[in-house]
Amino acid sequence: MERADWIGAPEGLTRIEGMGVTAPDGFRAAGVAAGLKADGMPDVGLLVSDRPCASALVDTSSALPSAAVLYTRTLHTGSLRGVVVNSGCANAATGEPGITDARAMGAAAAAAAGVPLDSLAVCSTGVIGERLPMAILTPGLDAAAAALSTRGGAAFGEAIRTTDAFAKGGTFRLALTSGPVTIGAAAKGAGMIRPDMATMLAYVATDACVLPGDLLVAARAAAAGGFNRISVDGQMSPSDTLLVLANGEGPPLEGADLRLFADALRAICRYLAILMVKDGEGAEHAVRVVVAGARDDDEAERVGRAVGESALVRTAMYGQDANWGRVHQAVGQALAGTGGPVDVSLRFDGTVPDGPDIAEVLARPEYEMHVALGRGDGWAELFASDLGHGYVAVNAGYRT
Amino acid sequence: MERADWIGAPEGLTRIEGMGVTAPDGFRAAGVAAGLKADGMPDVGLLVSDRPCASALVDTSSALPSAAVLYTRTLHTGSLRGVVVNSGCANAATGEPGITDARAMGAAAAAAAGVPLDSLAVCSTGVIGERLPMAILTPGLDAAAAALSTRGGAAFGEAIRTTDAFAKGGTFRLALTSGPVTIGAAAKGAGMIRPDMATMLAYVATDACVLPGDLLVAARAAAAGGFNRISVDGQMSPSDTLLVLANGEGPPLEGADLRLFADALRAICRYLAILMVKDGEGAEHAVRVVVAGARDDDEAERVGRAVGESALVRTAMYGQDANWGRVHQAVGQALAGTGGPVDVSLRFDGTVPDGPDIAEVLARPEYEMHVALGRGDGWAELFASDLGHGYVAVNAGYRT
């Protein structure tokens, strides 16, 4: 990614070479092919900490959450030991039998990994409406447990992919006054754009010591500033999950170090979120839509969503057309009924729509669309992608 | 259209052969090519009543209405004589100079047609953000006035088209206890789906005598039950307009006859609206999404919009895939935060998603998707179209 300024990394956070979620001390992981995916790719991921973790779970706000989400919400988040994930089947819209399956999946994985019952979060991603094939899955859980390794972070990252074009994650070092900590991340998702597979999953592991309450506050802020700032087609999944695991021992972070850790978590989540936008099917551009001059932040947010999720604006991005009339139309719709004047002013990476450099700007893989409204101090941002033929091809052809 | 049951026509309303908006007594119209469209197609339409009309205007709720809309709102709707329309330029996002242009357009047309100043509604549709080319337009207004004819309804219907695949309108006879009245209609629009041209315009002329207040109530109800029940990509235009002109003399309609007229107007608007959905670029299916069993009608409406405007659901319609998981996902998103159980049950023209006839149903050009939620008595409907390659091709390639 070229736009480091989009991430907002705090001082002291650096990206390093490493195995992602197994880079922090005390984490082992694995990814194996159990046979849930027809193409034989890895489909079971297991991440286990040698010691209990403080954990923070931020999951879907759908009114119809998946069975895995419903089960995981019942766990005690102060003493998790890790997470087990399968791809290929979402275990969503499966009712009570699905919850029983999720619980059995967690129990089998815990037994195989030698950790307590109900100490593993459970996530599933794939087709909605089909039961988990437990007879295929269970041997896969055993195989994953047998393969657990401190070098297994990359395999874990592969196993959670569905139709992602590339694996997403990273390894980071954060300098704190109390000493350095390591943070590893693995994520999947193409910004809710994928058919059925439309799920965002992100796992962050760290050897920092953080109180569960502090971790939850930081995770919620990171989700709000990261994954909730992206939209491809405005579709929410029943399985969306961010899970942060912190297995550090010793005095928990506080004060400036805790704030720095929270800032780093937010930057890492923004990094992962923007990767998801860039992976959108058929997407050729990641566009940061910034709305300024709204009456308040809520109004700016509404305008940002209207612009960034507009099919007309997004096809114009795809066509590299500085079609400001479509932005104008979306703004007018978003502000319907609010009264008062609106003075729309538009810049693409600082260039006006009829500027001489506009064609070059709109060809960039990443650019910023700045929409000023001249009504107040309200501000919002949204990361969006363009809408091209690839989206239709994948989403119409899938399953049939 | 095969689904007459979608229209809800009252008894006594019949479609007849006729010239559309010039079928009612006392209306003349014309459509000419002034040169606003590069392809030389008709682009100026004029509809004039020989006597003052009661009129009802229902227009866009955009916060950035077009100059034509802003001008037309200032007119006295109790004594309009007709409407002048141009296609090829929307005169939107043109500021004060645009309003001056709209006023000048109305004045020139009125002078040419020999009707009072400020007695013609003004509508413009086409590219947003460009000024009206008055030097080209004004001679066109003269030509249109010279061509006014009681047989000009069809030419008027052609002139208001932008990229519509077919002209939309009809001629209707309504039997009332006080005697028959004639209603003619002309409309353009492809359900907000078109690039820049995204505008719905509808004109209904009748020789019924209706008090302006009654006409406005009927027009608002007709818009709510017709044009506000369709969605292609959820995009609202700055120019959307429904104008009803009633030039009848004698005692105004009241009681049962007034209710029957209002029902007929609603049915005609539903007919025109569904034609717009069927004309959506690349659209191969018009789908009536019916949501039942919501807690209340507002909740049903929210679910209907979420389903009917979902890019995932609409690409599944295009692919003729009974992908109920995507409907489930959209329902979950729409009901986020509402609490309580949801029991989604889905039928396509009465067939369950895994029924033996489902492939045949999903191939139909028109079918009903019935979404039951099992939470209460709330109900809503929305007419939607599928999302195919044609949409991307037109909207990405346009203008560039």
Side-chain angles (χ1 to χ4, degrees):
Chain A
M1 199 177 315
E2 295 171 23
R3 303 293 294 252
D5 58 307
W6 287 3
I7 311 299
E11 195 138 354
L13 180 69
T14 50
R15 187 160 182 203
I16 60 174
E17 287 296 307
M19 277 296 168
V21 288
T22 53
D25 182 64
F27 285 97
R28 291 173 298 143
V32 301
L36 283 78
K37 285 180 181 165
D39 60 6
M41 297 294 284
D43 48 23
V44 171
L46 183 61
L47 171 65
V48 175
S49 166
D50 294 344
R51 42 190 187 268
C53 303
S55 64
L57 177 71
V58 181
D59 63 28
T60 182
S61 52
S62 170
L64 294 165
S66 76
V69 166
L70 291 172
Y71 165 71
T72 298
R73 283 180 185 170
T74 67
L75 303 181
H76 184 265
T77 58
S79 54
L80 281 194
R81 292 293 291 275
V83 60
V84 57
V85 192
N86 76 275
S87 53
C89 172
N91 192 11
T94 47
E96 279 296 327
I99 299 176
T100 302
D101 289 345
R103 186 179 295 113
M105 175 177 163
V115 298
L117 187 68
D118 293 333
S119 73
L120 295 180
V122 174
C123 296
S124 296
T125 176
V127 177
I128 296 175
E130 295 180 2
R131 291 280 300 277
L132 279 176
M134 298 302 289
I136 296 172
L137 175 61
T138 309
L141 300 172
D142 292 333
L148 282 171
S149 152
T150 57
R151 301 187 56 77
F156 176 84
E158 288 297 323
I160 66 174
R161 284 172 65 173
T162 50
T163 49
D164 299 62
F166 53 89
K168 301 166 188 70
T171 309
F172 305 86
R173 182 64 55 89
L174 177 64
L176 299 173
T177 58
S178 52
V181 298
T182 302
I183 307 174
K188 67 136 295 202
M192 311 300 105
I193 200 174
R194 300 286 179 162
D196 298 313
M197 304 286 195
T199 293
M200 184 287 292
L201 299 178
Y203 307 100
V204 179
T206 179
D207 50 16
C209 181
V210 191
L211 292 174
D214 291 338
L215 198 61
L216 186 58
V217 170
R220 285 183 176 158
F227 304 112
N228 292 348
R229 294 294 90 215
I230 62 174
S231 181
V232 177
D233 51 11
Q235 301 306 305
M236 168 195 290
S237 146
S239 311
D240 293 336
T241 298
L242 163 66
L243 179 68
V244 186
L245 298 166
N247 72 355
E249 296 175 308
L253 299 183
E254 58 180 6
D257 273 358
L258 179 60
R259 284 194 296 275
L260 206 53
F261 175 81
D263 288 347
L265 187 61
R266 181 175 179 278
I268 290 167
C269 285
R270 284 174 71 87
Y271 172 71
L272 296 172
I274 295 167
L275 286 181
M276 291 177 190
V277 170
K278 293 178 73 73
D279 193 11
E281 177 63 34
E284 300 182 359
H285 307 273
V287 180
R288 184 185 189 219
V289 177
V290 174
V291 178
R295 282 192 180 143
D296 52 40
D297 291 352
D298 284 349
E299 184 177 281
E301 167 79 15
R302 211 161 58 242
V303 170
R305 295 249 164 219
V307 171
E309 296 179 358
S310 157
L312 289 174
V313 171
R314 294 177 54 228
T315 47
M317 291 174 185
Y318 177 73
Q320 301 184 16
D321 177 12
N323 197 318
W324 65 270
R326 297 186 191 180
V327 176
H328 199 274
Q329 174 266 322
V331 171
Q333 177 168 1
L335 297 180
T338 60
V342 192
D343 183 17
V344 181
S345 164
L346 198 59
R347 296 285 185 285
F348 298 87
D349 271 352
T351 299
V352 294
D354 53 357
D357 302 331
I358 191 68
E360 184 271 314
V361 171
L362 297 181
R364 294 175 187 168
E366 297 169 352
Y367 62 83
E368 181 169 305
M369 178 193 296
H370 190 274
V371 184
L373 303 178
R375 289 154 68 92
D377 296 324
W379 187 95
E381 65 172 345
L382 184 79
F383 293 94
S385 67
D386 55 317
L387 172 59
H389 284 290
Y391 183 90
V392 174
V394 166
N395 284 289
Y398 190 82
R399 255 195 49 174
T400 52
Chain B
M1 200 176 312
E2 294 171 22
R3 304 294 293 253
D5 57 309
W6 287 3
I7 310 300
E11 196 140 352
L13 180 69
T14 50
R15 188 160 182 205
I16 59 174
E17 287 296 308
M19 277 296 168
V21 289
T22 53
D25 182 64
F27 284 96
R28 292 173 298 143
V32 300
L36 282 77
K37 284 179 180 165
D39 60 6
M41 297 296 284
D43 48 21
V44 171
L46 184 60
L47 171 65
V48 175
S49 165
D50 293 344
R51 43 190 186 266
C53 303
S55 64
L57 177 72
V58 182
D59 62 28
T60 182
S61 51
S62 170
L64 294 164
S66 76
V69 166
L70 291 171
Y71 165 70
T72 297
R73 283 179 185 170
T74 68
L75 302 182
H76 184 264
T77 58
S79 55
L80 283 194
R81 292 293 291 275
V83 60
V84 57
V85 192
N86 76 275
S87 52
C89 172
N91 192 12
T94 47
E96 279 297 327
I99 297 176
T100 302
D101 290 344
R103 186 179 294 113
M105 175 177 163
V115 298
L117 188 67
D118 293 334
S119 73
L120 294 180
V122 174
C123 296
S124 296
T125 176
V127 177
I128 295 175
E130 294 179 4
R131 291 280 299 276
L132 279 176
M134 298 303 289
I136 295 173
L137 176 61
T138 308
L141 300 172
D142 292 334
L148 282 172
S149 152
T150 57
R151 302 187 55 78
F156 176 85
E158 288 296 323
I160 65 174
R161 284 171 65 174
T162 49
T163 48
D164 299 62
F166 53 89
K168 300 165 189 72
T171 309
F172 305 86
R173 183 64 55 89
L174 177 63
L176 299 173
T177 58
S178 52
V181 298
T182 302
I183 307 174
K188 68 137 291 203
M192 310 301 106
I193 199 173
R194 299 286 177 160
D196 298 313
M197 304 285 196
T199 292
M200 184 287 292
L201 298 178
Y203 306 99
V204 179
T206 179
D207 49 18
C209 180
V210 191
L211 291 174
D214 292 336
L215 198 62
L216 186 58
V217 169
R220 284 184 176 157
F227 305 111
N228 292 349
R229 294 293 90 215
I230 62 175
S231 181
V232 178
D233 51 10
Q235 300 306 304
M236 168 195 291
S237 148
S239 311
D240 292 337
T241 297
L242 163 66
L243 180 67
V244 185
L245 297 167
N247 73 353
E249 297 176 307
L253 299 183
E254 58 180 8
D257 273 358
L258 179 60
R259 284 194 296 277
L260 206 53
F261 175 81
D263 287 348
L265 186 61
R266 180 174 180 278
I268 290 167
C269 286
R270 283 174 73 86
Y271 173 72
L272 297 172
I274 295 168
L275 286 181
M276 291 178 190
V277 170
K278 292 178 73 73
D279 193 11
E281 177 62 34
E284 300 182 358
H285 306 273
V287 180
R288 184 186 189 218
V289 178
V290 174
V291 179
R295 281 191 180 144
D296 52 40
D297 291 352
D298 284 350
E299 184 177 281
E301 167 80 15
R302 210 161 60 244
V303 170
R305 295 250 163 219
V307 171
E309 296 179 357
S310 158
L312 289 174
V313 172
R314 293 177 54 229
T315 47
M317 292 174 185
Y318 178 71
Q320 301 184 16
D321 178 10
N323 198 319
W324 66 271
R326 296 186 191 179
V327 176
H328 198 274
Q329 172 267 324
V331 170
Q333 177 168 2
L335 296 180
T338 60
V342 192
D343 182 16
V344 180
S345 165
L346 198 59
R347 295 286 184 286
F348 298 86
D349 269 354
T351 299
V352 294
D354 53 358
D357 301 331
I358 191 68
E360 184 271 316
V361 172
L362 297 180
R364 294 175 187 167
E366 297 169 352
Y367 62 83
E368 181 169 305
M369 179 194 295
H370 190 273
V371 185
L373 302 178
R375 288 155 66 92
D377 296 323
W379 187 94
E381 65 172 346
L382 185 79
F383 293 93
S385 67
D386 55 318
L387 172 60
H389 284 290
Y391 183 89
V392 174
V394 166
N395 285 289
Y398 191 80
R399 258 195 47 174
T400 51

